[in-house]
Amino acid sequence: MNKINLIVADDHQLFRDGLTALLNKHPFLNVLATVEDGLELMNTLKKETLPDILLLDLSMPNMNGFEVLKNIRKKYKTVKAIAISMHDDGNYIARCAEYGAFGYLLKNTDETEVIDAIKQVYNGGKYYNQDLSRKMIDSMAEVKSVRKLTKKEAEILEFLSKGFTTKEIASKLYVSTRTVETHRSNMLKKLEVKNTVELINKATTLSLI
Amino acid sequence: MNKINLIVADDHQLFRDGLTALLNKHPFLNVLATVEDGLELMNTLKKETLPDILLLDLSMPNMNGFEVLKNIRKKYKTVKAIAISMHDDGNYIARCAEYGAFGYLLKNTDETEVIDAIKQVYNGGKYYNQDLSRKMIDSMAEVKSVRKLTKKEAEILEFLSKGFTTKEIASKLYVSTRTVETHRSNMLKKLEVKNTVELINKATTLSLI
DNA sequence: TTTTTTCTACGTGTTTTTACGGGTGTTTTT
DNA sequence: AAAAACACCCGTAAAAACACGTAGAAAAAA
């Protein structure tokens, strides 16, 4: 059996190194490289041998895990990504599945499960454990009903989440306050909430923000 | 030189195991146990040999790192805690210092720094690197100026952060909406912000919430 | 090229927030 | 023990934000 080549992507060096130390105890695994964000990853893939498996943290600076997944699927079809996240969140999981991740692991999983997942994915399978699959299905209904926010809406949401007032946002975007209010109000309807604080809370849990 | 006995506390098993694998490569370190939350830690300390050093994640369920630090200082004076957090946040660091942590490390530090910190603390020193110390000092002024929120204010803030409206909160607490508004407005002044969203943002970064 | 969606904006009536002020009881300082 | 500071409560009036409907032009999708 050939060695399985891996790359580990996570923004916390300690986690990265720890995980590598852990993986390296297994003689059939070979960690080719570790990177701290999506950008570095893409550069590494350009230059080095392609790995069989990519262990990918979702929350990274520069280019997050979701972006990475999209890119990988386009440019490096042979690389199979397994997401590693600390969020036990149906929406995250669903998005990973959608973007073509071959597996999803929680950071509070154990060594055995990681190894299992790697083996399974390497052999052509997928690894989403039951608990996670259920969460994903639960969140589906909700996510679908939300569709997406439009560009302008997302832009305004961004400002709202930083605490800017309607007036401030209007002047930044060179539109009338009414327009900003309309966009906000449309978002309230889309997400079925009643005020800005709830909007931001919900947008956050749906990772729209 | 005796071996340095350690306990690792973190809610993510993979991080815990990874860090342990990493520490165990060093012959003078000995990981006595790993635990996944503050409660389990306190139980372990009750029953087992006391460690020299405790590597302590701050964000854990059941009993978080800050609570742990308080307890440690009361009951187990010989155990020296080093906080390991992913938050590069002056306020966190300051609170750790206040509660008697002997060091503060970021999760994106490297192996060398961890080992350094452990050695230094074991030998009677403290380990707060320069960058962090500066952040702490920066945040000091701000934190002090904030004083504390009163009970009622904190209560109302809690509701606000969950997206309840003024009216809803008023009826929950059996006071007029005007009162709720007054409290909110006082908080806005205290934290020097201009609306509820900013209030919640700031309260969060100051960990008042 | 139709059709649909998105972005922009307005009007009107309602609700919420803000600014300013006042009152009572409790705790802290002097 | 008196004075000062704080915490909590509420009112009015004006300003801002909001709800809800409408609607045209531009952009995207079919």
Side-chain angles (χ1 to χ4, degrees):
Chain A
M1 183 169 163
N2 274 334
K3 279 203 178 194
I4 303 177
N5 288 316
L6 302 160
I7 287 187
V8 175
D10 189 293
D11 56 332
H12 298 308
Q13 180 162 2
L14 214 50
F15 182 82
R16 229 155 56 219
D17 292 352
L19 183 57
T20 303
L22 206 141
L23 295 170
N24 277 337
K25 294 193 303 181
H26 297 265
F28 55 92
L29 297 180
N30 178 37
V31 177
L32 290 175
T34 70
V35 296
E36 61 177 329
D37 62 43
L39 222 60
E40 195 188 339
L41 174 66
M42 297 321 284
N43 287 333
T44 305
L45 291 178
K46 235 178 260 169
K47 292 176 203 152
E48 314 287 334
T49 354
L50 290 181
D52 302 302
I53 305 279
L54 167 66
L55 294 176
L56 178 70
D57 184 27
L58 294 179
S59 56
M60 295 183 298
N62 292 326
M63 187 194 287
N64 69 37
F66 299 114
E67 295 301 317
V68 169
L69 286 173
K70 287 185 208 168
N71 277 317
I72 292 279
R73 189 151 59 165
K74 265 192 224 148
K75 300 184 198 156
Y76 305 101
K77 292 206 173 68
T78 61
V79 177
K80 298 176 175 179
I82 299 175
I84 302 192
S85 161
M86 52 183 197
H87 301 292
D88 174 7
D89 177 329
N91 191 47
Y92 271 55
I93 304 164
R95 282 173 72 190
C96 282
E98 191 186 329
Y99 295 151
F102 283 75
Y104 192 105
L105 293 169
L106 292 177
K107 280 199 179 172
N108 57 19
T109 184
D110 60 9
E111 190 173 337
T112 319
E113 199 183 7
V114 180
I115 303 298
D116 264 16
I118 293 174
K119 281 187 192 163
Q120 219 158 305
V121 171
Y122 182 72
N123 291 321
K126 295 211 169 188
Y127 189 91
Y128 286 81
N129 81 31
Q130 271 210 313
D131 222 35
L132 299 184
S133 302
R134 199 183 41 67
K135 293 230 159 136
M136 178 167 63
I137 290 164
D138 286 349
S139 83
M140 280 299 197
E142 194 173 24
V143 173
K144 292 233 162 156
S145 80
V146 169
R147 297 177 196 177
K148 266 195 221 158
L149 298 181
T150 68
K151 266 183 216 164
K152 265 278 137 40
E153 284 171 346
E155 194 178 5
I156 286 173
L157 181 57
E158 189 68 28
F159 284 122
L160 285 173
S161 75
K162 287 179 185 154
F164 291 106
T165 64
T166 301
K167 207 188 278 180
E168 287 169 345
I169 297 171
S171 91
K172 269 177 201 295
L173 301 183
Y174 305 104
V175 296
S176 88
T177 61
R178 290 281 158 52
T179 304
V180 175
E181 277 166 17
T182 303
H183 285 304
R184 194 185 55 86
S185 148
N186 288 338
M187 285 191 274
L188 294 184
K189 271 177 208 152
K190 277 191 191 177
L191 300 205
E192 294 171 318
V193 292
K194 68 176 177 308
N195 60 42
T196 306
V197 174
E198 276 197 327
L199 171 64
I200 292 169
N201 286 162
K202 188 141 188 184
T204 304
T205 72
L206 293 177
S207 21
L208 300 174
I209 205 171
Chain B
M1 183 166 163
N2 275 333
K3 279 203 176 193
I4 304 177
N5 287 315
L6 303 159
I7 286 185
V8 175
D10 190 292
D11 56 332
H12 298 307
Q13 178 160 2
L14 214 50
F15 183 81
R16 230 155 56 219
D17 292 351
L19 183 55
T20 303
L22 208 140
L23 295 170
N24 276 338
K25 293 193 303 182
H26 297 265
F28 55 93
L29 297 179
N30 177 38
V31 178
L32 291 174
T34 72
V35 296
E36 63 176 328
D37 62 43
L39 222 60
E40 195 188 339
L41 173 67
M42 298 321 284
N43 288 331
T44 305
L45 291 178
K46 235 179 260 168
K47 293 178 203 151
E48 315 286 335
T49 355
L50 290 181
D52 302 303
I53 305 278
L54 166 65
L55 294 176
L56 179 70
D57 183 27
L58 293 179
S59 56
M60 295 184 296
N62 292 326
M63 187 193 288
N64 69 35
F66 298 115
E67 295 300 317
V68 169
L69 286 173
K70 286 187 207 168
N71 277 317
I72 293 279
R73 188 150 61 165
K74 265 192 222 149
K75 301 186 194 154
Y76 305 100
K77 292 205 173 68
T78 60
V79 177
K80 298 175 174 178
I82 299 175
I84 301 192
S85 162
M86 50 180 198
H87 300 292
D88 173 7
D89 176 330
N91 192 45
Y92 270 54
I93 305 164
R95 283 174 72 190
C96 282
E98 190 187 329
Y99 296 151
F102 284 75
Y104 192 106
L105 292 169
L106 292 177
K107 280 199 178 172
N108 58 18
T109 184
D110 61 7
E111 190 174 338
T112 319
E113 198 182 7
V114 180
I115 304 298
D116 264 17
I118 292 173
K119 280 186 191 163
Q120 219 159 303
V121 170
Y122 182 71
N123 291 322
K126 296 211 171 190
Y127 189 91
Y128 285 81
N129 84 30
Q130 273 210 313
D131 221 37
L132 298 184
S133 302
R134 198 182 43 66
K135 292 233 157 136
M136 178 165 66
I137 290 163
D138 286 350
S139 85
M140 281 299 199
E142 192 173 27
V143 174
K144 293 229 163 159
S145 80
V146 168
R147 300 177 193 176
K148 265 194 215 157
L149 299 181
T150 68
K151 266 183 215 164
K152 264 278 136 44
E153 284 170 347
E155 195 179 3
I156 286 172
L157 180 58
E158 189 68 27
F159 284 122
L160 285 173
S161 75
K162 289 180 183 153
F164 290 105
T165 64
T166 300
K167 204 187 279 180
E168 287 168 344
I169 297 171
S171 89
K172 270 177 202 292
L173 302 183
Y174 304 106
V175 295
S176 89
T177 62
R178 195 56 198 68
T179 303
V180 175
E181 274 163 18
T182 303
H183 286 304
R184 191 178 55 86
S185 145
N186 288 336
M187 287 190 274
L188 294 183
K189 272 178 208 151
K190 278 190 189 176
L191 300 204
E192 293 170 318
V193 292
K194 67 177 179 309
N195 59 40
T196 306
V197 175
E198 274 197 329
L199 171 64
I200 292 170
N201 286 162
K202 189 142 187 184
T204 304
T205 72
L206 293 177
S207 12
L208 299 176
I209 206 173

PDB file of all heavy atoms in Angstrom, chain A residues 150-152 175-176 179 183, chain C residues 6-12:
ATOM      1  N   THR A 150     -28.558  39.399  -1.832  1.00  0.00           N
ATOM      2  CA  THR A 150     -27.973  40.020  -3.015  1.00  0.00           C
ATOM      3  C   THR A 150     -26.693  40.744  -2.608  1.00  0.00           C
ATOM      4  O   THR A 150     -26.407  40.917  -1.437  1.00  0.00           O
ATOM      5  CB  THR A 150     -28.932  41.035  -3.645  1.00  0.00           C
ATOM      6  OG1 THR A 150     -29.071  42.130  -2.747  1.00  0.00           O
ATOM      7  CG2 THR A 150     -30.285  40.416  -3.909  1.00  0.00           C
ATOM      8  N   LYS A 151     -25.953  41.184  -3.602  1.00  0.00           N
ATOM      9  CA  LYS A 151     -24.683  41.860  -3.328  1.00  0.00           C
ATOM     10  C   LYS A 151     -24.867  43.068  -2.418  1.00  0.00           C
ATOM     11  O   LYS A 151     -24.178  43.245  -1.430  1.00  0.00           O
ATOM     12  CB  LYS A 151     -24.065  42.350  -4.647  1.00  0.00           C
ATOM     13  CG  LYS A 151     -23.071  41.379  -5.250  1.00  0.00           C
ATOM     14  CD  LYS A 151     -22.463  41.998  -6.497  1.00  0.00           C
ATOM     15  CE  LYS A 151     -22.216  40.939  -7.564  1.00  0.00           C
ATOM     16  NZ  LYS A 151     -21.993  41.488  -8.897  1.00  0.00           N
ATOM     17  N   LYS A 152     -25.814  43.905  -2.817  1.00  0.00           N
ATOM     18  CA  LYS A 152     -26.053  45.120  -2.049  1.00  0.00           C
ATOM     19  C   LYS A 152     -26.493  44.783  -0.631  1.00  0.00           C
ATOM     20  O   LYS A 152     -26.062  45.411   0.322  1.00  0.00           O
ATOM     21  CB  LYS A 152     -27.133  45.983  -2.736  1.00  0.00           C
ATOM     22  CG  LYS A 152     -26.556  47.058  -3.640  1.00  0.00           C
ATOM     23  CD  LYS A 152     -26.135  48.301  -2.867  1.00  0.00           C
ATOM     24  CE  LYS A 152     -24.801  48.879  -3.291  1.00  0.00           C
ATOM     25  NZ  LYS A 152     -24.540  48.868  -4.722  1.00  0.00           N
ATOM     26  N   VAL A 175     -26.398  56.500  -1.598  1.00  0.00           N
ATOM     27  CA  VAL A 175     -27.809  56.262  -1.896  1.00  0.00           C
ATOM     28  C   VAL A 175     -28.626  56.895  -0.777  1.00  0.00           C
ATOM     29  O   VAL A 175     -28.070  57.377   0.202  1.00  0.00           O
ATOM     30  CB  VAL A 175     -28.136  54.760  -1.986  1.00  0.00           C
ATOM     31  CG1 VAL A 175     -27.405  54.110  -3.127  1.00  0.00           C
ATOM     32  CG2 VAL A 175     -27.823  54.075  -0.664  1.00  0.00           C
ATOM     33  N   SER A 176     -29.927  56.925  -0.939  1.00  0.00           N
ATOM     34  CA  SER A 176     -30.758  57.555   0.090  1.00  0.00           C
ATOM     35  C   SER A 176     -30.953  56.611   1.283  1.00  0.00           C
ATOM     36  O   SER A 176     -30.784  55.399   1.165  1.00  0.00           O
ATOM     37  CB  SER A 176     -32.116  57.925  -0.487  1.00  0.00           C
ATOM     38  OG  SER A 176     -33.003  56.850  -0.373  1.00  0.00           O
ATOM     39  N   THR A 179     -33.355  53.808   0.701  1.00  0.00           N
ATOM     40  CA  THR A 179     -32.844  52.625   0.012  1.00  0.00           C
ATOM     41  C   THR A 179     -32.221  51.656   0.998  1.00  0.00           C
ATOM     42  O   THR A 179     -32.483  50.451   0.962  1.00  0.00           O
ATOM     43  CB  THR A 179     -31.796  53.050  -1.021  1.00  0.00           C
ATOM     44  OG1 THR A 179     -32.416  53.992  -1.884  1.00  0.00           O
ATOM     45  CG2 THR A 179     -31.309  51.867  -1.816  1.00  0.00           C
ATOM     46  N   HIS A 183     -33.412  47.800   1.773  1.00  0.00           N
ATOM     47  CA  HIS A 183     -32.569  46.598   1.744  1.00  0.00           C
ATOM     48  C   HIS A 183     -32.606  45.877   3.083  1.00  0.00           C
ATOM     49  O   HIS A 183     -32.754  44.658   3.146  1.00  0.00           O
ATOM     50  CB  HIS A 183     -31.128  46.974   1.417  1.00  0.00           C
ATOM     51  CG  HIS A 183     -30.922  47.309  -0.028  1.00  0.00           C
ATOM     52  ND1 HIS A 183     -31.249  46.455  -1.046  1.00  0.00           N
ATOM     53  CD2 HIS A 183     -30.424  48.430  -0.622  1.00  0.00           C
ATOM     54  CE1 HIS A 183     -30.970  47.018  -2.209  1.00  0.00           C
ATOM     55  NE2 HIS A 183     -30.468  48.221  -1.972  1.00  0.00           N
TER      56      HIS A 183
ATOM     57  P    DT C   6     -32.625  38.500  -6.641  1.00  0.00           P
ATOM     58  OP1  DT C   6     -31.516  37.632  -6.189  1.00  0.00           O
ATOM     59  OP2  DT C   6     -33.857  38.620  -5.840  1.00  0.00           O
ATOM     60  O5'  DT C   6     -32.032  39.954  -6.896  1.00  0.00           O
ATOM     61  C5'  DT C   6     -31.058  40.129  -7.926  1.00  0.00           C
ATOM     62  C4'  DT C   6     -30.778  41.612  -8.089  1.00  0.00           C
ATOM     63  O4'  DT C   6     -31.859  42.248  -8.801  1.00  0.00           O
ATOM     64  C3'  DT C   6     -30.622  42.378  -6.769  1.00  0.00           C
ATOM     65  O3'  DT C   6     -29.385  43.057  -6.803  1.00  0.00           O
ATOM     66  C2'  DT C   6     -31.808  43.329  -6.749  1.00  0.00           C
ATOM     67  C1'  DT C   6     -32.079  43.516  -8.235  1.00  0.00           C
ATOM     68  N1   DT C   6     -33.457  43.925  -8.622  1.00  0.00           N
ATOM     69  C2   DT C   6     -33.625  45.015  -9.443  1.00  0.00           C
ATOM     70  O2   DT C   6     -32.697  45.689  -9.863  1.00  0.00           O
ATOM     71  N3   DT C   6     -34.931  45.298  -9.774  1.00  0.00           N
ATOM     72  C4   DT C   6     -36.054  44.609  -9.366  1.00  0.00           C
ATOM     73  O4   DT C   6     -37.167  44.972  -9.741  1.00  0.00           O
ATOM     74  C5   DT C   6     -35.815  43.482  -8.511  1.00  0.00           C
ATOM     75  C7   DT C   6     -36.969  42.672  -8.008  1.00  0.00           C
ATOM     76  C6   DT C   6     -34.540  43.196  -8.177  1.00  0.00           C
ATOM     77  P    DC C   7     -28.812  43.783  -5.501  1.00  0.00           P
ATOM     78  OP1  DC C   7     -27.354  43.601  -5.506  1.00  0.00           O
ATOM     79  OP2  DC C   7     -29.623  43.371  -4.343  1.00  0.00           O
ATOM     80  O5'  DC C   7     -29.112  45.316  -5.799  1.00  0.00           O
ATOM     81  C5'  DC C   7     -28.545  45.920  -6.949  1.00  0.00           C
ATOM     82  C4'  DC C   7     -29.217  47.252  -7.188  1.00  0.00           C
ATOM     83  O4'  DC C   7     -30.595  47.037  -7.521  1.00  0.00           O
ATOM     84  C3'  DC C   7     -29.218  48.193  -5.966  1.00  0.00           C
ATOM     85  O3'  DC C   7     -28.464  49.359  -6.281  1.00  0.00           O
ATOM     86  C2'  DC C   7     -30.698  48.503  -5.729  1.00  0.00           C
ATOM     87  C1'  DC C   7     -31.340  48.141  -7.058  1.00  0.00           C
ATOM     88  N1   DC C   7     -32.769  47.714  -6.970  1.00  0.00           N
ATOM     89  C2   DC C   7     -33.736  48.369  -7.751  1.00  0.00           C
ATOM     90  O2   DC C   7     -33.381  49.287  -8.495  1.00  0.00           O
ATOM     91  N3   DC C   7     -35.032  47.964  -7.668  1.00  0.00           N
ATOM     92  C4   DC C   7     -35.371  46.965  -6.860  1.00  0.00           C
ATOM     93  N4   DC C   7     -36.650  46.606  -6.827  1.00  0.00           N
ATOM     94  C5   DC C   7     -34.409  46.282  -6.061  1.00  0.00           C
ATOM     95  C6   DC C   7     -33.133  46.686  -6.146  1.00  0.00           C
ATOM     96  P    DT C   8     -28.163  50.419  -5.136  1.00  0.00           P
ATOM     97  OP1  DT C   8     -26.892  51.087  -5.498  1.00  0.00           O
ATOM     98  OP2  DT C   8     -28.327  49.777  -3.827  1.00  0.00           O
ATOM     99  O5'  DT C   8     -29.336  51.486  -5.299  1.00  0.00           O
ATOM    100  C5'  DT C   8     -29.438  52.233  -6.499  1.00  0.00           C
ATOM    101  C4'  DT C   8     -30.806  52.842  -6.618  1.00  0.00           C
ATOM    102  O4'  DT C   8     -31.803  51.802  -6.627  1.00  0.00           O
ATOM    103  C3'  DT C   8     -31.228  53.733  -5.453  1.00  0.00           C
ATOM    104  O3'  DT C   8     -30.866  55.075  -5.739  1.00  0.00           O
ATOM    105  C2'  DT C   8     -32.750  53.580  -5.420  1.00  0.00           C
ATOM    106  C1'  DT C   8     -33.033  52.396  -6.321  1.00  0.00           C
ATOM    107  N1   DT C   8     -33.897  51.361  -5.698  1.00  0.00           N
ATOM    108  C2   DT C   8     -35.214  51.321  -6.063  1.00  0.00           C
ATOM    109  O2   DT C   8     -35.705  52.084  -6.895  1.00  0.00           O
ATOM    110  N3   DT C   8     -35.953  50.343  -5.437  1.00  0.00           N
ATOM    111  C4   DT C   8     -35.507  49.433  -4.505  1.00  0.00           C
ATOM    112  O4   DT C   8     -36.263  48.608  -4.021  1.00  0.00           O
ATOM    113  C5   DT C   8     -34.109  49.538  -4.162  1.00  0.00           C
ATOM    114  C7   DT C   8     -33.514  48.610  -3.155  1.00  0.00           C
ATOM    115  C6   DT C   8     -33.377  50.490  -4.771  1.00  0.00           C
ATOM    116  P    DA C   9     -31.007  56.188  -4.660  1.00  0.00           P
ATOM    117  OP1  DA C   9     -30.403  57.417  -5.224  1.00  0.00           O
ATOM    118  OP2  DA C   9     -30.495  55.625  -3.407  1.00  0.00           O
ATOM    119  O5'  DA C   9     -32.561  56.410  -4.507  1.00  0.00           O
ATOM    120  C5'  DA C   9     -33.322  56.887  -5.618  1.00  0.00           C
ATOM    121  C4'  DA C   9     -34.784  56.868  -5.250  1.00  0.00           C
ATOM    122  O4'  DA C   9     -35.233  55.506  -5.081  1.00  0.00           O
ATOM    123  C3'  DA C   9     -35.118  57.553  -3.922  1.00  0.00           C
ATOM    124  O3'  DA C   9     -35.618  58.855  -4.200  1.00  0.00           O
ATOM    125  C2'  DA C   9     -36.176  56.663  -3.290  1.00  0.00           C
ATOM    126  C1'  DA C   9     -36.423  55.592  -4.331  1.00  0.00           C
ATOM    127  N9   DA C   9     -36.695  54.263  -3.792  1.00  0.00           N
ATOM    128  C8   DA C   9     -35.847  53.417  -3.157  1.00  0.00           C
ATOM    129  N7   DA C   9     -36.392  52.289  -2.774  1.00  0.00           N
ATOM    130  C5   DA C   9     -37.704  52.407  -3.183  1.00  0.00           C
ATOM    131  C6   DA C   9     -38.820  51.557  -3.082  1.00  0.00           C
ATOM    132  N6   DA C   9     -38.777  50.361  -2.504  1.00  0.00           N
ATOM    133  N1   DA C   9     -39.999  52.004  -3.604  1.00  0.00           N
ATOM    134  C2   DA C   9     -40.030  53.200  -4.180  1.00  0.00           C
ATOM    135  N3   DA C   9     -39.052  54.090  -4.349  1.00  0.00           N
ATOM    136  C4   DA C   9     -37.912  53.620  -3.818  1.00  0.00           C
ATOM    137  P    DC C  10     -35.990  59.897  -3.107  1.00  0.00           P
ATOM    138  OP1  DC C  10     -35.769  61.218  -3.698  1.00  0.00           O
ATOM    139  OP2  DC C  10     -35.323  59.523  -1.845  1.00  0.00           O
ATOM    140  O5'  DC C  10     -37.566  59.691  -2.914  1.00  0.00           O
ATOM    141  C5'  DC C  10     -38.403  59.721  -4.052  1.00  0.00           C
ATOM    142  C4'  DC C  10     -39.815  59.351  -3.644  1.00  0.00           C
ATOM    143  O4'  DC C  10     -39.889  57.933  -3.411  1.00  0.00           O
ATOM    144  C3'  DC C  10     -40.293  60.026  -2.366  1.00  0.00           C
ATOM    145  O3'  DC C  10     -41.477  60.739  -2.662  1.00  0.00           O
ATOM    146  C2'  DC C  10     -40.544  58.879  -1.392  1.00  0.00           C
ATOM    147  C1'  DC C  10     -40.743  57.690  -2.332  1.00  0.00           C
ATOM    148  N1   DC C  10     -40.339  56.393  -1.722  1.00  0.00           N
ATOM    149  C2   DC C  10     -41.297  55.398  -1.525  1.00  0.00           C
ATOM    150  O2   DC C  10     -42.474  55.620  -1.837  1.00  0.00           O
ATOM    151  N3   DC C  10     -40.912  54.209  -0.971  1.00  0.00           N
ATOM    152  C4   DC C  10     -39.632  54.014  -0.643  1.00  0.00           C
ATOM    153  N4   DC C  10     -39.307  52.838  -0.116  1.00  0.00           N
ATOM    154  C5   DC C  10     -38.647  55.021  -0.840  1.00  0.00           C
ATOM    155  C6   DC C  10     -39.025  56.176  -1.373  1.00  0.00           C
ATOM    156  P    DG C  11     -42.143  61.689  -1.586  1.00  0.00           P
ATOM    157  OP1  DG C  11     -42.784  62.802  -2.324  1.00  0.00           O
ATOM    158  OP2  DG C  11     -41.161  61.965  -0.512  1.00  0.00           O
ATOM    159  O5'  DG C  11     -43.295  60.755  -1.004  1.00  0.00           O
ATOM    160  C5'  DG C  11     -44.250  60.177  -1.889  1.00  0.00           C
ATOM    161  C4'  DG C  11     -45.428  59.683  -1.064  1.00  0.00           C
ATOM    162  O4'  DG C  11     -45.123  58.343  -0.561  1.00  0.00           O
ATOM    163  C3'  DG C  11     -45.732  60.532   0.177  1.00  0.00           C
ATOM    164  O3'  DG C  11     -47.137  60.515   0.391  1.00  0.00           O
ATOM    165  C2'  DG C  11     -44.988  59.814   1.289  1.00  0.00           C
ATOM    166  C1'  DG C  11     -45.103  58.350   0.864  1.00  0.00           C
ATOM    167  N9   DG C  11     -43.980  57.505   1.263  1.00  0.00           N
ATOM    168  C8   DG C  11     -42.641  57.823   1.238  1.00  0.00           C
ATOM    169  N7   DG C  11     -41.878  56.846   1.632  1.00  0.00           N
ATOM    170  C5   DG C  11     -42.762  55.817   1.942  1.00  0.00           C
ATOM    171  C6   DG C  11     -42.508  54.502   2.431  1.00  0.00           C
ATOM    172  O6   DG C  11     -41.441  53.977   2.683  1.00  0.00           O
ATOM    173  N1   DG C  11     -43.702  53.795   2.604  1.00  0.00           N
ATOM    174  C2   DG C  11     -44.956  54.288   2.340  1.00  0.00           C
ATOM    175  N2   DG C  11     -45.968  53.465   2.569  1.00  0.00           N
ATOM    176  N3   DG C  11     -45.204  55.506   1.886  1.00  0.00           N
ATOM    177  C4   DG C  11     -44.056  56.210   1.715  1.00  0.00           C
ATOM    178  P    DT C  12     -47.782  61.504   1.482  1.00  0.00           P
ATOM    179  OP1  DT C  12     -48.696  62.393   0.778  1.00  0.00           O
ATOM    180  OP2  DT C  12     -46.710  62.042   2.334  1.00  0.00           O
ATOM    181  O5'  DT C  12     -48.634  60.467   2.360  1.00  0.00           O
ATOM    182  C5'  DT C  12     -48.577  59.079   2.076  1.00  0.00           C
ATOM    183  C4'  DT C  12     -48.983  58.310   3.324  1.00  0.00           C
ATOM    184  O4'  DT C  12     -47.902  57.404   3.700  1.00  0.00           O
ATOM    185  C3'  DT C  12     -49.229  59.163   4.571  1.00  0.00           C
ATOM    186  O3'  DT C  12     -50.229  58.541   5.340  1.00  0.00           O
ATOM    187  C2'  DT C  12     -47.886  59.134   5.269  1.00  0.00           C
ATOM    188  C1'  DT C  12     -47.472  57.683   5.003  1.00  0.00           C
ATOM    189  N1   DT C  12     -46.013  57.401   5.062  1.00  0.00           N
ATOM    190  C2   DT C  12     -45.622  56.134   5.418  1.00  0.00           C
ATOM    191  O2   DT C  12     -46.405  55.252   5.675  1.00  0.00           O
ATOM    192  N3   DT C  12     -44.256  55.941   5.444  1.00  0.00           N
ATOM    193  C4   DT C  12     -43.281  56.879   5.163  1.00  0.00           C
ATOM    194  O4   DT C  12     -42.095  56.589   5.219  1.00  0.00           O
ATOM    195  C5   DT C  12     -43.767  58.185   4.795  1.00  0.00           C
ATOM    196  C7   DT C  12     -42.790  59.277   4.467  1.00  0.00           C
ATOM    197  C6   DT C  12     -45.096  58.386   4.768  1.00  0.00           C
TER     198       DT C  12
END
